[in-house]
Amino acid sequence: TVPVEFPLVVSLGAALLAAWGFASLCLLGVGVVSTIRLRRAMGDWRISRSSTPRVYLAHDAGPATVGILPGAIVLPAWAAPDDRRLMLTHEAEHLRAGDPLLLLTAQLLVALLPWNLPLWWQLRRLRLAVEVDCDARVLRQKSDLNSYATLLLEVGARRSGLQPVLVAFAEPASFLERRIRIMI
């Protein structure tokens, strides 16, 4: 018998595999570039507290967590001391709960399976769930819902170009509205 070849099927499979690899590499590349940008920006930040977690003051970034283990907190220099304390509480809760590692793991899964649209949807929902959970923990410690929600709105209004790199407030504006509605 003469073997039957299916060149179209083989070349289509190879093309899909190549596209999958290319998409994964692009997403991982975005993560690497973001990390490099973040490291460069950190050179301009001043250390506010060198204890664990380390706290940085930044002119154009924050509030956010950076890094995984042990992780650090970035607070904006523009914030008043009372607001910084509340931001520090929020970001410290993210670190305590292991949120940066959870989100990094989810982002890596999306990068490895970029064609999986439900996984992208789950990542989006996970980001919201992490913030809502953190908000609830902060509000249990600090009962002033009004000042907390006002601070979230002020931070959302001051987003900078670095914010998508940072974990805590790297969310669409609609997330902020949903978070405040859930708190209320």
Side-chain angles (χ1 to χ4, degrees), residues 8 25 33 41 49 57 59 63 69 76 104-105 111-112 124-125 131 161 171 174 182:
L8 181 61
L25 284 175
V33 168
R49 198 173 84 191
L57 283 181
H59 177 68
L69 297 172
L104 175 66
T105 302
L112 292 175
R124 181 176 166 85
R125 297 210 18 108
E131 289 301 330
E171 66 204 27
S174 63
I182 290 169

Side-chain angles (χ1 to χ4, degrees), residues 37-54:
R37 283 184 60 209
L38 180 63
R39 288 285 176 195
R40 284 187 184 150
M42 286 178 77
D44 296 333
W45 300 346
R46 142 177 91 96
I47 295 176
S48 171
R49 198 173 84 191
S50 60
S51 64
T52 303
R54 181 171 281 180

Side-chain angles (χ1 to χ4, degrees), residues 45-85:
W45 300 346
R46 142 177 91 96
I47 295 176
S48 171
R49 198 173 84 191
S50 60
S51 64
T52 303
R54 181 171 281 180
V55 178
Y56 293 93
L57 283 181
H59 177 68
D60 61 350
T65 59
V66 293
I68 303 297
L69 297 172
I73 295 173
V74 183
L75 299 177
W78 56 260
D82 287 343
D83 289 343
R84 279 192 204 150
R85 277 191 285 283

Side-chain angles (χ1 to χ4, degrees), residues 99-120:
D99 294 341
L101 181 59
L102 176 66
L103 290 172
L104 175 66
T105 302
Q107 289 170 334
L108 287 174
L109 284 172
V110 166
L112 292 175
L113 303 167
W115 45 264
N116 189 330
L117 296 180
L119 200 54
W120 284 86

Side-chain angles (χ1 to χ4, degrees), residues 80-183:
D82 287 343
D83 289 343
R84 279 192 204 150
R85 277 191 285 283
L86 195 51
M87 290 174 189
L88 181 62
T89 300
H90 178 95
E91 300 308 329
E93 281 296 320
H94 276 305
L95 290 176
R96 189 185 63 72
D99 294 341
L101 181 59
L102 176 66
L103 290 172
L104 175 66
T105 302
Q107 289 170 334
L108 287 174
L109 284 172
V110 166
L112 292 175
L113 303 167
W115 45 264
N116 189 330
L117 296 180
L119 200 54
W120 284 86
W121 178 71
Q122 287 295 330
L123 175 60
R124 181 176 166 85
R125 297 210 18 108
L126 178 63
R127 286 181 190 273
L128 177 61
V130 161
E131 289 301 330
V132 167
D133 183 55
C134 188
D135 292 337
R137 290 190 311 266
V138 170
L139 288 172
R140 277 194 294 270
Q141 295 176 34
K142 313 280 184 193
S143 60
D144 189 6
L145 172 63
N146 192 31
S147 64
Y148 186 67
T150 301
L151 179 61
L152 289 177
L153 289 171
E154 184 176 356
V155 168
R158 290 180 173 261
R159 281 193 182 151
S160 73
L162 275 179
Q163 289 300 68
V165 175
L166 305 175
V167 173
F169 285 91
E171 66 204 27
S174 63
F175 272 20
L176 187 56
E177 179 183 351
R178 288 176 70 189
R179 286 171 62 190
I180 291 172
R181 286 180 188 263
I182 290 169
M183 283 186 280

